[in-house]
Amino acid sequence: KATTYYNFTNYCILAGVIYVICLILSSFKEEKIKKRTIISSMSYREYNRKLLLSNSLFAIVLWIFYVLLSFILVGNIMFTMHGLVYIINSFLFTLCAVTIAFLIGNILTNKNAINGLVNVIALGSSFLCGAFVPMEWLPDTVLKIAHILPSYWYIKTNELVKTVEVFNRESMMPMITNMVVILLFTFGFTIITNMISKKKRKLD
């Protein structure tokens, strides 16, 4: 029950974070605001860092909401080590979702395109990675493709948690590895966003 719940939050977190953050970032692309930002003494890295941190606050509030909801819906399992791993894993994925949203928000210029893109990314990754359909039911080809998505590593950890009876170094290592992969995705998206932002400022 806990695994199903946290697998489904893959869609909820991605959709919510991407939609709201992209709308916020689109407001900063309005001509007057954009020009003021460019002529200011603030570097693109500092500008991106402040936007990223402020948008992360919204994402963390959203994450807290889903965690609190899990205590109500799932029950006592959330007070165990299993529950703690679910919570940590979902937190790392939420941070990754913020960087994905930030990257998309820096590329998109059309507000009308946000709805469509949210559906493609959130729904697409949820279906491909096993959020709606259990991983064991998905074809091997689909799972191989899913490796390039952060959602795969997030859901894979959730699936591992439900099989663990005793938490020790041996049982934790595969989960820690998956979480490290999610962090690498997070850093990778941040670097790409900074590169795009720098290039756009030069063009402007």
Tab-separated table of all heavy atoms in Angstrom, residues 135-192:
chain	number	residue	atom	x	y	z
A	135	MET	N	6.166	-2.410	-12.203
A	135	MET	CA	7.350	-2.626	-13.031
A	135	MET	C	7.419	-4.036	-13.619
A	135	MET	O	7.846	-4.224	-14.755
A	135	MET	CB	8.626	-2.370	-12.219
A	135	MET	CG	9.037	-0.920	-12.159
A	135	MET	SD	10.653	-0.749	-11.380
A	135	MET	CE	11.016	0.964	-11.810
A	136	GLU	N	7.008	-5.025	-12.817
A	136	GLU	CA	7.101	-6.422	-13.282
A	136	GLU	C	6.166	-6.720	-14.446
A	136	GLU	O	6.338	-7.724	-15.137
A	136	GLU	CB	6.842	-7.400	-12.127
A	136	GLU	CG	5.509	-7.238	-11.430
A	136	GLU	CD	5.587	-6.355	-10.203
A	136	GLU	OE1	6.481	-5.490	-10.143
A	136	GLU	OE2	4.729	-6.526	-9.310
A	137	TRP	N	5.204	-5.852	-14.676
A	137	TRP	CA	4.281	-6.033	-15.796
A	137	TRP	C	4.755	-5.335	-17.071
A	137	TRP	O	4.194	-5.556	-18.148
A	137	TRP	CB	2.887	-5.506	-15.443
A	137	TRP	CG	2.205	-6.294	-14.363
A	137	TRP	CD1	2.702	-7.387	-13.703
A	137	TRP	CD2	0.906	-6.046	-13.816
A	137	TRP	NE1	1.811	-7.833	-12.771
A	137	TRP	CE2	0.687	-7.033	-12.806
A	137	TRP	CE3	-0.080	-5.112	-14.059
A	137	TRP	CZ2	-0.481	-7.092	-12.063
A	137	TRP	CZ3	-1.260	-5.162	-13.322
A	137	TRP	CH2	-1.458	-6.144	-12.326
A	138	LEU	N	5.750	-4.505	-16.940
A	138	LEU	CA	6.227	-3.740	-18.103
A	138	LEU	C	7.241	-4.546	-18.913
A	138	LEU	O	8.059	-5.280	-18.348
A	138	LEU	CB	6.880	-2.433	-17.630
A	138	LEU	CG	5.954	-1.407	-16.961
A	138	LEU	CD1	6.767	-0.258	-16.385
A	138	LEU	CD2	4.929	-0.874	-17.964
A	139	PRO	N	7.230	-4.397	-20.245
A	139	PRO	CA	8.208	-5.097	-21.093
A	139	PRO	C	9.637	-4.633	-20.790
A	139	PRO	O	9.859	-3.490	-20.362
A	139	PRO	CB	7.795	-4.684	-22.517
A	139	PRO	CG	6.407	-4.167	-22.402
A	139	PRO	CD	6.276	-3.600	-21.038
A	140	ASP	N	10.604	-5.513	-21.017
A	140	ASP	CA	12.012	-5.192	-20.753
A	140	ASP	C	12.475	-3.991	-21.575
A	140	ASP	O	13.279	-3.181	-21.105
A	140	ASP	CB	12.900	-6.399	-21.070
A	140	ASP	CG	12.690	-7.525	-20.074
A	140	ASP	OD1	12.220	-7.227	-18.946
A	140	ASP	OD2	12.984	-8.686	-20.408
A	141	THR	N	11.981	-3.883	-22.800
A	141	THR	CA	12.364	-2.765	-23.670
A	141	THR	C	11.957	-1.425	-23.060
A	141	THR	O	12.720	-0.467	-23.076
A	141	THR	CB	11.702	-2.898	-25.065
A	141	THR	OG1	11.959	-4.199	-25.583
A	141	THR	CG2	12.239	-1.850	-26.026
A	142	VAL	N	10.765	-1.389	-22.510
A	142	VAL	CA	10.250	-0.163	-21.880
A	142	VAL	C	11.105	0.197	-20.672
A	142	VAL	O	11.472	1.362	-20.466
A	142	VAL	CB	8.775	-0.336	-21.468
A	142	VAL	CG1	8.300	0.864	-20.644
A	142	VAL	CG2	7.902	-0.506	-22.695
A	143	LEU	N	11.450	-0.804	-19.868
A	143	LEU	CA	12.253	-0.560	-18.674
A	143	LEU	C	13.665	-0.087	-19.018
A	143	LEU	O	14.249	0.740	-18.302
A	143	LEU	CB	12.327	-1.822	-17.810
A	143	LEU	CG	11.020	-2.214	-17.097
A	143	LEU	CD1	11.183	-3.531	-16.362
A	143	LEU	CD2	10.581	-1.126	-16.130
A	144	LYS	N	14.197	-0.596	-20.108
A	144	LYS	CA	15.523	-0.145	-20.542
A	144	LYS	C	15.495	1.326	-20.945
A	144	LYS	O	16.413	2.089	-20.632
A	144	LYS	CB	16.016	-1.000	-21.719
A	144	LYS	CG	16.497	-2.382	-21.300
A	144	LYS	CD	16.939	-3.208	-22.494
A	144	LYS	CE	17.370	-4.608	-22.044
A	144	LYS	NZ	17.757	-5.457	-23.204
A	145	ILE	N	14.447	1.719	-21.637
A	145	ILE	CA	14.278	3.130	-22.013
A	145	ILE	C	14.095	3.988	-20.767
A	145	ILE	O	14.611	5.101	-20.664
A	145	ILE	CB	13.071	3.303	-22.968
A	145	ILE	CG1	13.320	2.567	-24.283
A	145	ILE	CG2	12.790	4.784	-23.239
A	145	ILE	CD1	12.106	2.453	-25.176
A	146	ALA	N	13.351	3.432	-19.794
A	146	ALA	CA	13.037	4.170	-18.562
A	146	ALA	C	14.273	4.507	-17.732
A	146	ALA	O	14.241	5.426	-16.906
A	146	ALA	CB	12.058	3.368	-17.717
A	147	HIS	N	15.379	3.803	-17.949
A	147	HIS	CA	16.624	4.052	-17.198
A	147	HIS	C	17.115	5.495	-17.336
A	147	HIS	O	17.835	5.983	-16.466
A	147	HIS	CB	17.729	3.099	-17.673
A	147	HIS	CG	17.677	1.755	-17.008
A	147	HIS	ND1	16.651	0.868	-17.248
A	147	HIS	CD2	18.507	1.152	-16.111
A	147	HIS	CE1	16.871	-0.246	-16.540
A	147	HIS	NE2	17.969	-0.089	-15.832
A	148	ILE	N	16.755	6.158	-18.424
A	148	ILE	CA	17.245	7.526	-18.655
A	148	ILE	C	16.402	8.572	-17.919
A	148	ILE	O	16.689	9.767	-17.998
A	148	ILE	CB	17.272	7.867	-20.170
A	148	ILE	CG1	15.846	7.831	-20.762
A	148	ILE	CG2	18.197	6.918	-20.917
A	148	ILE	CD1	15.753	8.349	-22.181
A	149	LEU	N	15.380	8.107	-17.194
A	149	LEU	CA	14.487	9.025	-16.475
A	149	LEU	C	14.687	8.907	-14.964
A	149	LEU	O	14.807	7.799	-14.443
A	149	LEU	CB	13.028	8.718	-16.820
A	149	LEU	CG	12.645	8.801	-18.300
A	149	LEU	CD1	11.249	8.226	-18.517
A	149	LEU	CD2	12.717	10.243	-18.792
A	150	PRO	N	14.697	10.024	-14.237
A	150	PRO	CA	14.836	9.984	-12.774
A	150	PRO	C	13.718	9.184	-12.097
A	150	PRO	O	13.937	8.561	-11.057
A	150	PRO	CB	14.764	11.458	-12.365
A	150	PRO	CG	15.088	12.229	-13.589
A	150	PRO	CD	14.631	11.402	-14.741
A	151	SER	N	12.527	9.212	-12.699
A	151	SER	CA	11.374	8.501	-12.125
A	151	SER	C	11.651	7.006	-11.969
A	151	SER	O	11.180	6.376	-11.013
A	151	SER	CB	10.137	8.690	-13.015
A	151	SER	OG	9.751	10.038	-13.036
A	152	TYR	N	12.406	6.445	-12.893
A	152	TYR	CA	12.715	5.008	-12.840
A	152	TYR	C	13.454	4.678	-11.551
A	152	TYR	O	13.128	3.705	-10.856
A	152	TYR	CB	13.551	4.600	-14.060
A	152	TYR	CG	14.106	3.197	-13.960
A	152	TYR	CD1	13.325	2.105	-14.312
A	152	TYR	CD2	15.405	2.965	-13.500
A	152	TYR	CE1	13.818	0.813	-14.211
A	152	TYR	CE2	15.906	1.683	-13.399
A	152	TYR	CZ	15.120	0.613	-13.745
A	152	TYR	OH	15.605	-0.667	-13.639
A	153	TRP	N	14.457	5.482	-11.229
A	153	TRP	CA	15.294	5.222	-10.054
A	153	TRP	C	14.525	5.476	-8.767
A	153	TRP	O	14.742	4.802	-7.761
A	153	TRP	CB	16.560	6.062	-10.129
A	153	TRP	CG	17.306	5.811	-11.408
A	153	TRP	CD1	17.228	6.543	-12.555
A	153	TRP	CD2	18.180	4.714	-11.685
A	153	TRP	NE1	18.010	5.978	-13.540
A	153	TRP	CE2	18.597	4.854	-13.035
A	153	TRP	CE3	18.642	3.628	-10.938
A	153	TRP	CZ2	19.473	3.961	-13.636
A	153	TRP	CZ3	19.516	2.731	-11.531
A	153	TRP	CH2	19.915	2.902	-12.876
A	154	TYR	N	13.632	6.437	-8.803
A	154	TYR	CA	12.782	6.726	-7.647
A	154	TYR	C	11.829	5.558	-7.372
A	154	TYR	O	11.731	5.068	-6.240
A	154	TYR	CB	11.992	8.018	-7.911
A	154	TYR	CG	10.836	8.246	-6.971
A	154	TYR	CD1	11.058	8.558	-5.637
A	154	TYR	CD2	9.517	8.143	-7.426
A	154	TYR	CE1	9.986	8.752	-4.768
A	154	TYR	CE2	8.451	8.353	-6.561
A	154	TYR	CZ	8.694	8.662	-5.238
A	154	TYR	OH	7.648	8.859	-4.376
A	155	ILE	N	11.153	5.103	-8.411
A	155	ILE	CA	10.178	4.019	-8.265
A	155	ILE	C	10.876	2.691	-7.959
A	155	ILE	O	10.384	1.882	-7.169
A	155	ILE	CB	9.296	3.912	-9.528
A	155	ILE	CG1	8.408	5.156	-9.628
A	155	ILE	CG2	8.439	2.655	-9.513
A	155	ILE	CD1	7.698	5.321	-10.951
A	156	LYS	N	12.049	2.508	-8.533
A	156	LYS	CA	12.813	1.279	-8.275
A	156	LYS	C	13.156	1.151	-6.791
A	156	LYS	O	13.102	0.065	-6.215
A	156	LYS	CB	14.095	1.275	-9.116
A	156	LYS	CG	14.849	-0.058	-9.080
A	156	LYS	CD	16.087	-0.007	-9.947
A	156	LYS	CE	16.845	-1.324	-9.867
A	156	LYS	NZ	18.127	-1.271	-10.649
A	157	THR	N	13.510	2.294	-6.176
A	157	THR	CA	13.807	2.289	-4.742
A	157	THR	C	12.571	1.926	-3.936
A	157	THR	O	12.644	1.129	-2.994
A	157	THR	CB	14.335	3.676	-4.292
A	157	THR	OG1	15.518	3.981	-5.021
A	157	THR	CG2	14.661	3.687	-2.805
A	158	ASN	N	11.425	2.501	-4.301
A	158	ASN	CA	10.173	2.167	-3.608
A	158	ASN	C	9.865	0.676	-3.697
A	158	ASN	O	9.420	0.060	-2.724
A	158	ASN	CB	9.010	2.965	-4.198
A	158	ASN	CG	9.102	4.445	-3.897
A	158	ASN	OD1	9.759	4.852	-2.952
A	158	ASN	ND2	8.442	5.253	-4.713
A	159	GLU	N	10.116	0.104	-4.871
A	159	GLU	CA	9.859	-1.321	-5.067
A	159	GLU	C	10.816	-2.173	-4.233
A	159	GLU	O	10.450	-3.259	-3.763
A	159	GLU	CB	9.999	-1.683	-6.556
A	159	GLU	CG	8.947	-1.069	-7.458
A	159	GLU	CD	7.547	-1.605	-7.183
A	159	GLU	OE1	7.417	-2.768	-6.732
A	159	GLU	OE2	6.580	-0.866	-7.404
A	160	LEU	N	12.040	-1.690	-4.051
A	160	LEU	CA	13.014	-2.413	-3.228
A	160	LEU	C	12.644	-2.362	-1.748
A	160	LEU	O	12.805	-3.341	-1.027
A	160	LEU	CB	14.425	-1.830	-3.419
A	160	LEU	CG	15.126	-2.133	-4.741
A	160	LEU	CD1	16.407	-1.301	-4.861
A	160	LEU	CD2	15.485	-3.627	-4.831
A	161	VAL	N	12.129	-1.213	-1.315
A	161	VAL	CA	11.787	-1.030	0.099
A	161	VAL	C	10.761	-2.066	0.559
A	161	VAL	O	10.874	-2.632	1.651
A	161	VAL	CB	11.242	0.400	0.374
A	161	VAL	CG1	10.793	0.541	1.827
A	161	VAL	CG2	12.304	1.436	0.073
A	162	LYS	N	9.782	-2.338	-0.275
A	162	LYS	CA	8.709	-3.256	0.138
A	162	LYS	C	9.194	-4.709	0.273
A	162	LYS	O	8.524	-5.528	0.903
A	162	LYS	CB	7.526	-3.168	-0.829
A	162	LYS	CG	7.736	-3.833	-2.181
A	162	LYS	CD	6.469	-3.741	-3.015
A	162	LYS	CE	6.649	-4.432	-4.366
A	162	LYS	NZ	5.456	-4.296	-5.227
A	163	THR	N	10.362	-5.016	-0.303
A	163	THR	CA	10.879	-6.389	-0.221
A	163	THR	C	11.851	-6.583	0.948
A	163	THR	O	12.227	-7.717	1.252
A	163	THR	CB	11.621	-6.756	-1.526
A	163	THR	OG1	12.765	-5.906	-1.686
A	163	THR	CG2	10.711	-6.617	-2.731
A	164	VAL	N	12.242	-5.479	1.589
A	164	VAL	CA	13.258	-5.561	2.654
A	164	VAL	C	12.609	-5.929	3.984
A	164	VAL	O	11.631	-5.318	4.407
A	164	VAL	CB	14.015	-4.213	2.793
A	164	VAL	CG1	14.975	-4.257	3.982
A	164	VAL	CG2	14.773	-3.899	1.522
A	165	GLU	N	13.177	-6.953	4.630
A	165	GLU	CA	12.709	-7.353	5.962
A	165	GLU	C	13.586	-6.757	7.053
A	165	GLU	O	13.097	-6.326	8.092
A	165	GLU	CB	12.673	-8.881	6.071
A	165	GLU	CG	11.636	-9.526	5.150
A	165	GLU	CD	11.602	-11.039	5.301
A	165	GLU	OE1	12.316	-11.567	6.189
A	165	GLU	OE2	10.877	-11.694	4.533
A	166	VAL	N	14.907	-6.752	6.809
A	166	VAL	CA	15.859	-6.194	7.771
A	166	VAL	C	16.737	-5.177	7.058
A	166	VAL	O	17.315	-5.476	5.998
A	166	VAL	CB	16.747	-7.300	8.395
A	166	VAL	CG1	17.747	-6.689	9.378
A	166	VAL	CG2	15.888	-8.351	9.084
A	167	PHE	N	16.843	-3.998	7.627
A	167	PHE	CA	17.686	-2.971	7.032
A	167	PHE	C	19.114	-3.092	7.546
A	167	PHE	O	19.378	-2.969	8.745
A	167	PHE	CB	17.139	-1.569	7.351
A	167	PHE	CG	15.941	-1.192	6.541
A	167	PHE	CD1	14.654	-1.450	7.007
A	167	PHE	CD2	16.087	-0.605	5.288
A	167	PHE	CE1	13.545	-1.112	6.260
A	167	PHE	CE2	14.986	-0.266	4.523
A	167	PHE	CZ	13.706	-0.521	5.014
A	168	ASN	N	20.008	-3.389	6.634
A	168	ASN	CA	21.441	-3.446	6.947
A	168	ASN	C	22.208	-2.902	5.758
A	168	ASN	O	21.606	-2.432	4.780
A	168	ASN	CB	21.884	-4.877	7.286
A	168	ASN	CG	21.458	-5.883	6.216
A	168	ASN	OD1	21.514	-5.592	5.019
A	168	ASN	ND2	21.007	-7.050	6.646
A	169	ARG	N	23.526	-2.952	5.850
A	169	ARG	CA	24.350	-2.375	4.781
A	169	ARG	C	24.061	-3.026	3.432
A	169	ARG	O	23.951	-2.350	2.406
A	169	ARG	CB	25.834	-2.534	5.133
A	169	ARG	CG	26.756	-1.836	4.157
A	169	ARG	CD	28.194	-1.950	4.592
A	169	ARG	NE	29.081	-1.323	3.633
A	169	ARG	CZ	30.398	-1.286	3.752
A	169	ARG	NH1	30.989	-1.825	4.808
A	169	ARG	NH2	31.136	-0.705	2.836
A	170	GLU	N	23.912	-4.347	3.439
A	170	GLU	CA	23.693	-5.085	2.192
A	170	GLU	C	22.353	-4.735	1.548
A	170	GLU	O	22.271	-4.537	0.337
A	170	GLU	CB	23.760	-6.589	2.479
A	170	GLU	CG	23.708	-7.439	1.210
A	170	GLU	CD	23.785	-8.923	1.515
A	170	GLU	OE1	24.130	-9.287	2.657
A	170	GLU	OE2	23.495	-9.712	0.605
A	171	SER	N	21.304	-4.641	2.353
A	171	SER	CA	19.972	-4.353	1.802
A	171	SER	C	19.811	-2.879	1.429
A	171	SER	O	19.012	-2.536	0.555
A	171	SER	CB	18.892	-4.745	2.814
A	171	SER	OG	19.013	-3.975	4.003
A	172	MET	N	20.586	-2.007	2.092
A	172	MET	CA	20.471	-0.577	1.836
A	172	MET	C	21.259	-0.099	0.616
A	172	MET	O	20.897	0.912	0.005
A	172	MET	CB	20.945	0.218	3.064
A	172	MET	CG	19.969	0.230	4.227
A	172	MET	SD	18.441	1.117	3.862
A	172	MET	CE	19.036	2.803	3.707
A	173	MET	N	22.320	-0.805	0.271
A	173	MET	CA	23.209	-0.349	-0.804
A	173	MET	C	22.502	-0.111	-2.143
A	173	MET	O	22.725	0.923	-2.789
A	173	MET	CB	24.379	-1.313	-0.996
A	173	MET	CG	25.534	-1.082	-0.036
A	173	MET	SD	26.105	0.636	0.029
A	173	MET	CE	26.742	0.856	-1.629
A	174	PRO	N	21.644	-1.035	-2.614
A	174	PRO	CA	20.944	-0.778	-3.888
A	174	PRO	C	20.076	0.478	-3.829
A	174	PRO	O	19.990	1.231	-4.797
A	174	PRO	CB	20.077	-2.030	-4.077
A	174	PRO	CG	20.733	-3.082	-3.266
A	174	PRO	CD	21.303	-2.372	-2.081
A	175	MET	N	19.437	0.715	-2.673
A	175	MET	CA	18.585	1.896	-2.515
A	175	MET	C	19.419	3.177	-2.492
A	175	MET	O	19.047	4.180	-3.104
A	175	MET	CB	17.757	1.773	-1.224
A	175	MET	CG	16.676	0.722	-1.313
A	175	MET	SD	15.737	0.592	0.217
A	175	MET	CE	16.567	-0.770	1.001
A	176	ILE	N	20.541	3.122	-1.791
A	176	ILE	CA	21.435	4.289	-1.736
A	176	ILE	C	21.970	4.609	-3.126
A	176	ILE	O	22.058	5.773	-3.526
A	176	ILE	CB	22.590	4.043	-0.744
A	176	ILE	CG1	22.048	3.990	0.688
A	176	ILE	CG2	23.660	5.133	-0.854
A	176	ILE	CD1	23.047	3.525	1.724
A	177	THR	N	22.305	3.564	-3.884
A	177	THR	CA	22.792	3.748	-5.256
A	177	THR	C	21.751	4.472	-6.112
A	177	THR	O	22.069	5.408	-6.849
A	177	THR	CB	23.131	2.385	-5.901
A	177	THR	OG1	24.118	1.730	-5.105
A	177	THR	CG2	23.672	2.578	-7.320
A	178	ASN	N	20.493	4.041	-6.001
A	178	ASN	CA	19.408	4.682	-6.755
A	178	ASN	C	19.243	6.145	-6.365
A	178	ASN	O	19.015	7.008	-7.219
A	178	ASN	CB	18.093	3.945	-6.520
A	178	ASN	CG	18.099	2.546	-7.099
A	178	ASN	OD1	18.906	2.217	-7.945
A	178	ASN	ND2	17.200	1.709	-6.618
A	179	MET	N	19.367	6.426	-5.075
A	179	MET	CA	19.230	7.805	-4.594
A	179	MET	C	20.384	8.683	-5.088
A	179	MET	O	20.181	9.852	-5.412
A	179	MET	CB	19.167	7.830	-3.059
A	179	MET	CG	17.893	7.242	-2.497
A	179	MET	SD	17.886	7.263	-0.687
A	179	MET	CE	16.449	6.260	-0.339
A	180	VAL	N	21.568	8.107	-5.152
A	180	VAL	CA	22.727	8.841	-5.682
A	180	VAL	C	22.508	9.175	-7.153
A	180	VAL	O	22.840	10.274	-7.619
A	180	VAL	CB	24.033	8.028	-5.494
A	180	VAL	CG1	25.193	8.656	-6.274
A	180	VAL	CG2	24.398	7.936	-4.017
A	181	VAL	N	21.921	8.236	-7.899
A	181	VAL	CA	21.611	8.479	-9.319
A	181	VAL	C	20.640	9.654	-9.452
A	181	VAL	O	20.804	10.521	-10.315
A	181	VAL	CB	21.026	7.217	-9.991
A	181	VAL	CG1	20.552	7.532	-11.404
A	181	VAL	CG2	22.066	6.107	-10.030
A	182	ILE	N	19.638	9.702	-8.587
A	182	ILE	CA	18.675	10.822	-8.605
A	182	ILE	C	19.391	12.138	-8.332
A	182	ILE	O	19.126	13.159	-8.989
A	182	ILE	CB	17.546	10.595	-7.574
A	182	ILE	CG1	16.665	9.430	-8.014
A	182	ILE	CG2	16.692	11.856	-7.417
A	182	ILE	CD1	15.613	9.021	-6.997
A	183	LEU	N	20.332	12.133	-7.383
A	183	LEU	CA	21.112	13.340	-7.080
A	183	LEU	C	21.968	13.760	-8.271
A	183	LEU	O	22.120	14.953	-8.550
A	183	LEU	CB	22.003	13.108	-5.854
A	183	LEU	CG	21.296	13.106	-4.496
A	183	LEU	CD1	22.272	12.715	-3.397
A	183	LEU	CD2	20.684	14.468	-4.194
A	184	LEU	N	22.519	12.778	-8.988
A	184	LEU	CA	23.317	13.081	-10.188
A	184	LEU	C	22.450	13.724	-11.263
A	184	LEU	O	22.879	14.664	-11.937
A	184	LEU	CB	23.980	11.803	-10.722
A	184	LEU	CG	25.098	11.210	-9.866
A	184	LEU	CD1	25.567	9.869	-10.435
A	184	LEU	CD2	26.274	12.178	-9.755
A	185	PHE	N	21.229	13.225	-11.416
A	185	PHE	CA	20.276	13.855	-12.337
A	185	PHE	C	20.016	15.306	-11.921
A	185	PHE	O	19.981	16.212	-12.755
A	185	PHE	CB	18.944	13.095	-12.342
A	185	PHE	CG	18.871	11.965	-13.332
A	185	PHE	CD1	18.855	10.649	-12.910
A	185	PHE	CD2	18.800	12.219	-14.695
A	185	PHE	CE1	18.778	9.599	-13.820
A	185	PHE	CE2	18.713	11.188	-15.620
A	185	PHE	CZ	18.711	9.870	-15.170
A	186	THR	N	19.840	15.512	-10.611
A	186	THR	CA	19.569	16.849	-10.077
A	186	THR	C	20.695	17.819	-10.406
A	186	THR	O	20.461	18.930	-10.900
A	186	THR	CB	19.379	16.783	-8.545
A	186	THR	OG1	18.327	15.855	-8.246
A	186	THR	CG2	19.020	18.153	-7.975
A	187	PHE	N	21.937	17.400	-10.153
A	187	PHE	CA	23.097	18.249	-10.458
A	187	PHE	C	23.239	18.466	-11.966
A	187	PHE	O	23.568	19.558	-12.421
A	187	PHE	CB	24.380	17.624	-9.899
A	187	PHE	CG	24.467	17.670	-8.405
A	187	PHE	CD1	24.675	16.514	-7.665
A	187	PHE	CD2	24.329	18.869	-7.712
A	187	PHE	CE1	24.744	16.550	-6.277
A	187	PHE	CE2	24.396	18.915	-6.325
A	187	PHE	CZ	24.609	17.754	-5.605
A	188	GLY	N	22.962	17.412	-12.726
A	188	GLY	CA	23.061	17.511	-14.184
A	188	GLY	C	22.082	18.512	-14.762
A	188	GLY	O	22.455	19.359	-15.594
A	189	PHE	N	20.832	18.466	-14.314
A	189	PHE	CA	19.820	19.415	-14.786
A	189	PHE	C	20.172	20.850	-14.390
A	189	PHE	O	19.930	21.790	-15.151
A	189	PHE	CB	18.440	19.047	-14.236
A	189	PHE	CG	17.849	17.801	-14.821
A	189	PHE	CD1	17.294	16.821	-14.006
A	189	PHE	CD2	17.838	17.598	-16.200
A	189	PHE	CE1	16.749	15.665	-14.546
A	189	PHE	CE2	17.300	16.452	-16.758
A	189	PHE	CZ	16.757	15.478	-15.923
A	190	THR	N	20.758	21.010	-13.194
A	190	THR	CA	21.153	22.347	-12.729
A	190	THR	C	22.252	22.931	-13.605
A	190	THR	O	22.210	24.103	-13.996
A	190	THR	CB	21.638	22.290	-11.261
A	190	THR	OG1	20.619	21.696	-10.452
A	190	THR	CG2	21.956	23.686	-10.740
A	191	ILE	N	23.230	22.104	-13.939
A	191	ILE	CA	24.347	22.552	-14.792
A	191	ILE	C	23.845	22.939	-16.179
A	191	ILE	O	24.226	23.973	-16.735
A	191	ILE	CB	25.428	21.447	-14.883
A	191	ILE	CG1	26.116	21.266	-13.521
A	191	ILE	CG2	26.472	21.789	-15.958
A	191	ILE	CD1	26.963	20.016	-13.419
A	192	ILE	N	22.982	22.102	-16.754
A	192	ILE	CA	22.433	22.377	-18.090
A	192	ILE	C	21.632	23.678	-18.090
A	192	ILE	O	21.733	24.490	-19.009
A	192	ILE	CB	21.549	21.200	-18.573
A	192	ILE	CG1	22.392	19.950	-18.780
A	192	ILE	CG2	20.836	21.560	-19.876
A	192	ILE	CD1	21.589	18.685	-18.995
